[in-house]
Amino acid sequence: MIGRRALIGLAAGLAMTTSFTAPAISQETFKVGLILPMTGPFASTGRQVEAGARAYMAAHGDTAAGKTVELIVRDDAGTADQTRRLAQELVVNEEVDALAGFGLTPLALAAGSIATQAKVPAVVMAAATSVITEESEYFVRTSGTLPQSAVPVATWAGENDIQSVVTLVSDYGPGIDAETWFTKEFTDNGGEILEAVRVPLQNPDFAPFLQRVRDAEPDAVFVFLPSGAGSLFMRQFANRGLGEAGIRLIATGDVTDDDILNEMGDPALGAITGHFYSAAHDSPENEAFVSAFKEANDGMRPNFMAIGGYDGMQALYAALEKTEGDTSGDALMEALKGLSWTSPRGPVSIDPETRDIVQNIYMREVKSVDGELYNVEFETYEAVKDPVKAQAAD
Ligand code: PHB
């Protein structure tokens, strides 16, 4: 007969042996479940974010705190139900240590409760409606928020002879955020909003909306459209003769997305945007990033989505080093809060209160440089926080 004590001892011994001798895949591998729209209308976002994440790993190796970092990529095709299902599958079956990606606001929101229940960090690398990080304490963001970019554009417009504006935004979370916060800052500084136009997110035909803008005769139109939608907009902006009518184009940098800027051609020249990343950002870190990224991706130029992926991996690596390899979600979240580093976009940090990224917002003008179009930075608003939460904290 084996006594109870002996049994407990045996069990404990076995457990110890197991933990020493098991293949220990989950201990030695740090798995990141990257959920992105790899197909469908927002596939360019998925392609850019994944390439950005891989560019970080190519430049810094695939180990952090002695663990091999593994990316498991899943395609949600831009559908929130899929994002949620995939997040669950990655947590339960793959036992990922972190979730990441999230190409659009509704997709990020759909995964929030999974991150909370599983206590797994979820790195928002793309989606940019302010409220996302309030949906789960396990969200941390390396993209940015629309108010973060829209407020500096409004400040700049007020200081540069723009007195009347029509806003034109995609009719969902980030568009409403951009419209609300541009309007607040612009009118606080004495500007006038003549009309607020909202266009459908899917398959928009901008022509009738641009006609409304033209008829209102503003000094400028302020625009937010999600990454990828800018080329059609730019074509229709030119066809409707808005530029010739003297209406200036000001926007968040989502519209003059580096991925498709060259396709836009001359109509894009002179567009003024505010954003956190330009492929033309002048720094040694960015020069190295852009050339490695192009080399690894058949010459594709990185856009702001790519830098969200790159810095998302940077944040996870740094957090893992800080916990000395402790992969528990709570330890990683504590480690993520307050991190700071020099990104190819410039200096950044993770606000420990909000888990949002604090970053420079650059004002840029589309110019032709060596035969290609670039967002050329000309003014910097330093260390900008998400203004929505900054105001709520006041
Ligand atoms: C979003 O859905 O949050 C989103 C998508 C594309 C952007 C910005 C925000 O360019």
Side-chain angles (χ1 to χ4, degrees):
M1 275 282 289
I2 302 177
R4 191 178 137 79
R5 279 185 92 106
L7 252 185
I8 293 171
L10 186 66
L14 263 180
M16 276 185 71
T17 329
T18 318
S19 67
F20 279 115
T21 57
I25 296 208
S26 60
Q27 283 98 325
E28 299 307 329
T29 307
F30 185 79
K31 290 188 181 180
V32 181
L34 192 57
I35 311 174
L36 289 166
M38 302 304 296
T39 53
F42 300 99
S44 68
T45 294
R47 180 164 40 87
Q48 286 274 349
V49 173
E50 181 187 357
R54 294 205 185 279
Y56 184 84
M57 296 175 73
H60 298 88
D62 65 355
T63 57
K67 292 179 191 292
T68 305
V69 179
E70 185 193 342
L71 281 188
I72 304 175
V73 181
R74 293 279 190 272
D75 174 19
D76 64 16
T79 316
D81 287 350
Q82 290 277 46
T83 316
R84 197 180 153 75
R85 192 182 60 70
L86 291 169
Q88 196 144 22
E89 185 252 320
L90 285 163
V91 164
V92 175
N93 298 345
E94 298 288 348
E95 297 183 6
V96 294
D97 300 292
L99 292 167
F102 311 114
L104 294 160
T105 290
L107 312 181
L109 293 176
S113 61
I114 307 277
T116 305
Q117 282 160 25
K119 297 186 185 297
V120 165
V123 186
V124 182
M125 296 170 158
T129 303
S130 173
V131 78
I132 292 169
T133 40
E134 291 173 42
E135 192 71 12
S136 170
E137 283 172 28
Y138 291 86
F139 272 139
V140 57
R141 176 156 32 200
T142 57
S143 47
T145 75
L146 261 306
Q148 206 173 26
S149 306
V151 167
V153 176
T155 310
W156 181 88
E159 289 168 355
N160 285 276
D161 259 2
I162 294 175
Q163 274 133 32
S164 61
V165 163
V166 172
T167 58
L168 185 153
V169 302
S170 286
D171 191 6
Y172 78 122
I176 312 295
D177 258 7
E179 177 196 287
T180 305
W181 286 81
F182 177 89
T183 298
K184 181 178 172 339
E185 173 72 7
F186 188 62
T187 55
D188 279 356
N189 295 339
E192 192 187 354
I193 301 291
L194 302 181
E195 209 172 325
V197 178
R198 296 180 181 175
V199 303
L201 172 62
Q202 302 277 6
N203 307 317
D205 172 12
F206 299 107
F209 300 105
L210 286 169
Q211 191 58 47
R212 273 168 66 188
V213 175
R214 195 173 167 166
D215 293 345
E217 299 181 357
D219 292 334
V221 56
F222 166 76
V223 183
F224 162 78
L225 301 169
S227 179
S231 5
L232 175 64
F233 173 82
M234 217 47 102
R235 218 166 27 247
Q236 296 190 330
F237 183 88
N239 289 346
R240 291 269 139 181
L242 269 76
E244 283 141 37
I247 300 171
R248 298 180 70 183
L249 175 60
I250 59 177
T252 62
D254 308 77
V255 178
T256 56
D257 178 345
D258 267 302
D259 195 16
I260 50 175
L261 185 54
N262 272 321
E263 287 167 28
M264 295 181 195
D266 287 355
L269 285 169
I272 302 285
T273 60
H275 220 217
F276 55 82
Y277 180 68
S278 164
H281 179 67
D282 186 12
S283 75
E285 292 83 8
N286 190 44
E287 216 168 285
F289 166 64
V290 172
S291 68
F293 187 97
K294 284 184 165 172
E295 173 104 28
N297 295 284
D298 280 335
M300 173 167 78
R301 191 196 282 185
N303 72 2
F304 60 96
M305 294 296 187
I307 207 68
Y310 184 94
D311 281 328
M313 293 311 290
Q314 161 103 21
L316 285 173
Y317 272 54
L320 198 53
E321 295 286 354
K322 210 162 133 189
T323 66
E324 298 178 343
D326 181 348
T327 57
S328 79
D330 289 325
L332 287 170
M333 287 312 299
E334 275 321 298
L336 285 160
K337 293 174 191 172
L339 282 179
S340 62
W341 66 93
T342 302
S343 157
R345 71 181 99 178
V348 299
S349 65
I350 301 296
D351 185 336
E353 306 297 325
T354 64
R355 293 162 275 106
D356 268 314
I357 193 163
V358 181
Q359 57 190 339
N360 292 346
I361 298 298
Y362 306 92
M363 294 305 301
R364 311 95 51 89
E365 177 175 353
V366 176
K367 287 187 172 175
S368 177
V369 182
D370 299 331
E372 288 191 49
L373 297 188
Y374 278 100
N375 292 295
V376 178
E377 296 170 353
F378 62 85
E379 195 172 326
T380 305
Y381 292 82
E382 282 180 13
V384 179
K385 289 186 173 192
D386 175 34
V388 182
K389 287 142 199 154
Q391 186 194 49
D394 280 348

